[in-house]
Amino acid sequence: MSSSYNAGGQEPTGITLRDPGKNFNAAGRFLATINTGEAMAAERAVKPAFTFRYLSNKKINFLEDSKIRDLFMKWSMLGRMSVQVFSFDQHFQPYEKDNFVQAFFQDSNVKANLKVLSPLSSEWTTLGKEVKGIQVEEVPCNQLSMLFFDCLYTEGIVRETGHITKCLDEFYEDFVISDQLRQVLLLEESDKYQIFSDKEREEFVFRIFKHLCLGGVLCQYEDTIDPYLETCKTMYKELVSVQKDPDAKDILIISTVFKVIANDEYGICYPSTNKHEQTFAYLIVDPLKCHVHVLYHCFGGGLFCN
């Protein structure tokens, strides 16, 4: 992982790697301890709203990777997923999540550039609406290794060869469950569902993995686990930032992740007017670079050509 490993969600379970009662310089080094309550109150009293700038030239490597694009096409996600990057102008702390997200959706640059896929025409447009309300969920983002998924092997969901164990077909909402992996992901009554705890299922890396496995309307499932794990790892590394602790020499995740929903005067307008488990938008905030990545997907039928 690089020093900018583009490797957190309920507030009680989210991990904040920077104590709001500590002051850091631009390089992320600890400077001094201050009174957390007084500092937060003072900052909220005088701090202006965040403003944002769209970084249109920011390259997202995994979206241009031909192998991953082929997989997205197979999983019915090609042409329905986007990643955009915006910069912001002030120091960010996770306790500011509501103000940050509200400012994001009210910013003129965001409204003019934030991509949205129309559920009717399947054409890309921009938000361009006045947002009246927001829902923000802080998503835990603590995992630094794909060993997190080793239980799939130890519990027999995946064989030593990497092949996913099959099962008799059954249906759950929009999904066909034809193997034990999808039982683990979707069926709470499954014997294997508990191999991941509720807390582990909230992790950002688990959510990415689950989104990839479930795919879009015409998703063709994989027989082996590697395509899912490798794609998940590549996306996670590019989206999430880390930093080495100068004292302990450990690698620490510095990104904060939010799952967001926005409402206009008629109801939900973002990520889509149609709610679905596979329609999502995450804001991944890098407090050092002052960048926010927007990972977006709208459930539907993907492109059939690359």
Side-chain angles (χ1 to χ4, degrees), residues 8-246:
Q10 308 282 336
E11 283 193 21
T13 60
I15 300 298
T16 300
L17 293 173
R18 289 190 176 181
D19 188 331
K22 295 181 179 180
N23 188 21
F24 291 79
N25 65 12
R29 296 182 183 276
F30 171 72
L31 295 180
T33 300
I34 58 179
N35 184 291
T36 302
E38 292 179 1
M40 291 169 62
E43 186 173 358
R44 286 169 174 161
V46 301
K47 189 171 183 178
F50 290 91
T51 59
F52 298 84
R53 183 168 64 92
Y54 178 42
L55 304 181
S56 58
N57 294 325
K58 187 70 173 178
K59 182 179 179 181
I60 306 300
N61 293 313
F62 71 79
L63 289 179
E64 299 183 13
D65 184 293
S66 60
K67 182 178 179 181
I68 291 178
R69 286 177 62 83
D70 286 344
L71 289 171
F72 283 166
M73 180 173 63
K74 184 177 180 182
W75 301 337
S76 195
M77 303 177 84
L78 185 64
R80 307 193 69 88
M81 181 184 292
S82 73
V83 178
Q84 294 177 275
V85 186
F86 294 82
S87 64
F88 53 93
D89 63 339
Q90 300 179 46
H91 179 65
F92 167 82
Q93 288 282 7
Y95 66 78
E96 302 174 289
K97 70 177 190 302
D98 292 332
N99 290 337
F100 181 87
V101 176
Q102 183 174 1
F104 179 80
F105 281 108
Q106 292 179 345
D107 188 274
S108 59
N109 285 317
V110 172
K111 287 189 286 187
N113 293 284
L114 185 64
K115 295 172 67 174
V116 179
L117 195 62
S118 169
L120 296 177
S121 65
S122 293
E123 294 182 354
W124 287 99
T125 182
T126 54
L127 180 62
K129 296 182 178 181
E130 191 66 31
V131 169
K132 301 296 185 180
I134 57 170
Q135 299 174 47
V136 186
E137 176 190 2
E138 185 170 352
V139 177
C141 187
N142 308 309
Q143 299 301 319
L144 286 165
S145 169
M146 297 301 285
L147 295 175
F148 178 80
F149 295 102
D150 276 5
C151 60
L152 294 173
Y153 290 90
T154 58
E155 296 295 330
I157 309 302
V158 179
R159 304 183 188 280
E160 291 184 4
T161 60
H163 286 80
I164 301 167
T165 304
K166 299 295 183 180
C167 68
L168 295 176
D169 285 358
E170 55 185 312
F171 296 89
Y172 177 85
E173 297 181 352
D174 292 320
F175 306 106
V176 179
I177 298 175
S178 57
D179 56 50
Q180 291 188 13
L181 175 60
R182 263 146 281 275
Q183 289 181 334
V184 168
L185 297 176
L186 294 170
L187 297 184
E188 293 188 32
E189 65 272 20
S190 168
D191 294 338
K192 301 294 187 179
Y193 187 86
Q194 297 303 323
I195 67 173
F196 291 102
S197 68
D198 290 342
K199 185 176 180 180
E200 288 172 329
R201 289 172 181 272
E202 293 298 318
E203 284 284 338
F204 187 45
V205 70
F206 183 90
R207 295 184 188 216
I208 294 176
F209 176 76
K210 182 177 179 179
H211 289 316
L212 295 176
C213 292
L214 298 182
V217 169
L218 302 175
C219 179
Q220 302 175 57
Y221 296 148
E222 300 292 330
D223 292 324
T224 60
I225 197 68
D226 282 351
Y228 297 128
L229 291 178
E230 289 302 318
T231 305
C232 177
K233 178 180 178 180
T234 300
M235 292 177 62
Y236 192 66
K237 287 183 65 176
E238 186 164 2
L239 292 171
V240 178
S241 300
V242 301
Q243 184 182 48
K244 181 176 288 188
D245 186 309

Side-chain angles (χ1 to χ4, degrees), residues 221-292:
Y221 296 148
E222 300 292 330
D223 292 324
T224 60
I225 197 68
D226 282 351
Y228 297 128
L229 291 178
E230 289 302 318
T231 305
C232 177
K233 178 180 178 180
T234 300
M235 292 177 62
Y236 192 66
K237 287 183 65 176
E238 186 164 2
L239 292 171
V240 178
S241 300
V242 301
Q243 184 182 48
K244 181 176 288 188
D245 186 309
D247 299 319
K249 307 301 181 183
D250 294 329
I251 299 295
L252 303 176
I253 293 175
I254 62 171
S255 292
T256 302
V257 182
F258 304 120
K259 186 176 183 181
V260 296
I261 295 173
N263 302 294
D264 62 13
E265 57 185 323
Y266 302 107
I268 295 176
C269 63
Y270 183 86
S272 174
T273 54
N274 294 339
K275 292 185 67 174
H276 194 278
E277 183 172 2
Q278 285 293 91
T279 295
F280 55 82
Y282 296 98
L283 305 187
I284 304 102
V285 183
D286 182 330
L288 290 188
K289 289 185 176 180
C290 290
H291 285 178
V292 53

